[in-house]
């Protein structure tokens, strides 16, 4: 996308449009500020909070950096230090900003409880944990590993989401509710994946090396599912809530149970027509899986 050219005087920071923002970022940031203004007018008790977190900032990356800095700071890890850390990462890495925009859209489009982009930006800990992880991952790749691990620890403490900074995560990710999500060091998550709370992408023991799951594009992983080992979940697959997956799952199939089995059988499993990670359809397989109806 073309780079925005709008510039305004630094004397009016609220009016400034970051020259590195593309059209999609610019539109989304405008929506977020409009939503925040409307919320501030309808609920005066939040006006100061909305001004400090959104309305006083000139861009999405500045607002997000400020908010994450305040969320993750501690008595010894200062908010100003974290703000500078996050802002430097988001400002210099277009990929991080692009992923944040895609994640905001994912939450707004897939979660019926998400009433606005600003609501997601401020209140969705799955979104916030994912953006903070992206910065930790950048630090990890830059060999700033003690800081990356410290950031991982704070993310786990504050958001109850534990993602190793080496784990690779794509765009358009929805961590819905997010509490209890664990993602191991060598795990890979593709694009447009939706993951519910208490999901584990873990190893099988003390084995070293490449030992964690690889999640394809468009996958949906239900609440409480556990996927262990260096297994591949094919693109467009669905993992039912509470399932335990220990072997590969073919693309566009549904795996449920403990241990997980494919709906329709191993030889000719039922094929999904939609993209589960985007449709968020958790239950359509039930009629095929069991004839027992309560």
């Amino acid at each position: 996308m073309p780079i925005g050219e709008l510039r305004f005087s630094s004397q009016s920071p609220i009016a400034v449009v970051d020259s590195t923002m593309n059209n999609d970022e610019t539109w989304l940031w405008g929506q977020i500020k409009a939503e925040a203004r409307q919320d501030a007018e309808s609920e005066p008790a939040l006006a100061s909070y909305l001004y400090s977190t959104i309305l006083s900032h000139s861009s999405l990356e500045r607002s997000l950096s400020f908010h994450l800095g305040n969320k993750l700071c501690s008595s010894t890890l200062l908010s100003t230090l974290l703000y500078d850390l996050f802002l430097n990462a988001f400002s210099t890495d277009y990929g991080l900003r692009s992923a944040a925009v895609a994640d905001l859209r994912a939450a707004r489009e897939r979660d019926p409880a998400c009433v606005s982009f600003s609501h997601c930006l401020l209140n969705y800990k799955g979104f916030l944990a994912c953006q903070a992880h992206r910065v930790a991952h950048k630090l990890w790749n830059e060999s700033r590993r003690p800081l990356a691990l410290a950031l991982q620890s704070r993310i786990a403490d504050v958001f109850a989401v534990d993602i190793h900074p080496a784990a690779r995560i794509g765009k358009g990710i929805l961590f819905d509710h997010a509490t209890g999500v664990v993602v191991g060091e060598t795990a890979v998550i593709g694009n447009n994946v939706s993951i519910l709370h208490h999901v584990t992408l873990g190893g099988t023991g003390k084995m070293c090396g490449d030992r964690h799951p690889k999640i394809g594009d468009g996958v949906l992983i239900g609440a409480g599912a556990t996927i262990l080992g260096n297994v591949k979940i094919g693109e467009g697959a669905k993992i039912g809530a509470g399932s335990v997956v220990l072997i590969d799952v073919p693309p566009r199939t549904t795996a449920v149970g403990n241990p997980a089995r494919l709906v329709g059988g191993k030889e000719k499993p039922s094929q999904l027509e939609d993209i589960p990670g985007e449709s968020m359809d958790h239950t359509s397989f039930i009629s095929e899986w069991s004839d027992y109806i309560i």
Side-chain angles (χ1 to χ4, degrees):
M1 288 192 176
I3 301 298
E5 295 295 333
L6 294 176
R7 291 178 180 271
F8 296 89
S9 169
S10 60
Q11 299 301 314
S12 179
I14 297 177
V16 172
V17 177
D18 194 318
S19 62
T20 62
M21 291 173 70
N22 65 26
N23 290 344
D24 200 30
E25 287 179 75
T26 302
W27 177 86
L28 184 59
W29 179 236
Q31 286 291 112
I32 289 172
K33 296 192 82 168
E35 293 165 358
R37 289 190 190 97
Q38 184 176 5
D39 289 344
E41 291 173 1
S42 63
E43 185 51 79
L46 291 176
S48 178
Y49 170 64
L50 291 168
Y51 180 81
S52 65
T53 53
I54 293 177
L55 295 174
S56 65
H57 298 282
S58 60
S59 63
L60 176 59
E61 62 262 31
R62 289 182 178 276
S63 173
L64 180 56
S65 298
F66 176 85
H67 194 44
L68 285 173
N70 279 284
K71 284 282 189 179
L72 295 172
C73 68
S74 68
S75 59
T76 54
L77 196 60
L78 301 182
S79 61
T80 51
L81 182 152
L82 290 175
Y83 173 74
D84 289 341
L85 177 70
F86 287 125
L87 184 58
N88 179 67
F90 288 119
S91 297
T92 59
D93 192 328
Y94 169 76
L96 294 183
R97 302 198 308 275
S98 176
V101 169
D103 294 348
L104 282 165
R105 287 187 175 277
R108 186 73 179 94
E109 292 168 3
R110 299 178 208 164
D111 185 358
C114 186
V115 297
S116 66
F117 291 113
S118 60
H119 171 55
C120 178
L121 173 63
L122 295 178
N123 302 322
Y124 269 42
K125 67 179 184 178
F127 168 78
L128 294 170
C130 189
Q131 307 324 304
H133 161 75
R134 295 188 194 283
V135 175
H137 181 68
K138 180 178 176 67
L139 294 170
W140 183 269
N141 288 337
E142 294 172 349
S143 297
R144 301 177 68 184
R145 296 187 173 184
L147 182 55
L149 291 168
L151 194 53
Q152 174 198 1
S153 178
R154 286 302 296 160
I155 295 166
D157 289 345
V158 174
F159 298 126
V161 176
D162 195 350
I163 307 175
H164 193 282
R168 292 180 284 157
I169 299 180
K171 298 181 180 180
I173 304 301
L174 173 61
F175 286 118
D176 196 356
H177 298 288
T179 300
V181 166
V182 176
V183 180
E185 179 181 10
T186 60
V188 178
I189 300 174
N191 298 319
N192 302 315
V193 172
S194 294
I195 297 176
L196 275 288
H197 50 287
H198 291 293
V199 164
T200 297
L201 306 181
T204 57
K206 296 179 69 175
M207 181 179 68
C208 297
D210 194 357
R211 61 195 185 279
H212 295 105
K214 310 298 181 282
I215 310 300
D217 294 349
V219 169
L220 171 62
I221 306 178
T226 299
I227 306 174
L228 299 178
N230 186 15
V231 298
K232 296 179 181 178
I233 309 301
E235 65 178 55
K238 183 190 302 185
I239 309 300
S243 299
V244 177
V245 180
L246 303 174
I247 59 175
D248 294 353
V249 175
R252 294 193 171 276
T253 60
T254 300
V256 291
N258 181 5
R261 292 167 287 170
L262 297 179
V263 171
K266 184 177 181 180
E267 301 303 321
K268 292 185 178 180
S270 301
Q271 294 291 306
L272 299 169
E273 296 181 0
D274 62 356
I275 300 176
E278 297 180 5
S279 70
M280 302 296 289
D281 178 4
H282 290 268
T283 60
S284 62
F285 63 85
I286 290 177
S287 61
E288 301 178 55
W289 180 243
S290 173
D291 58 4
Y292 179 72
I293 300 175
I294 296 176

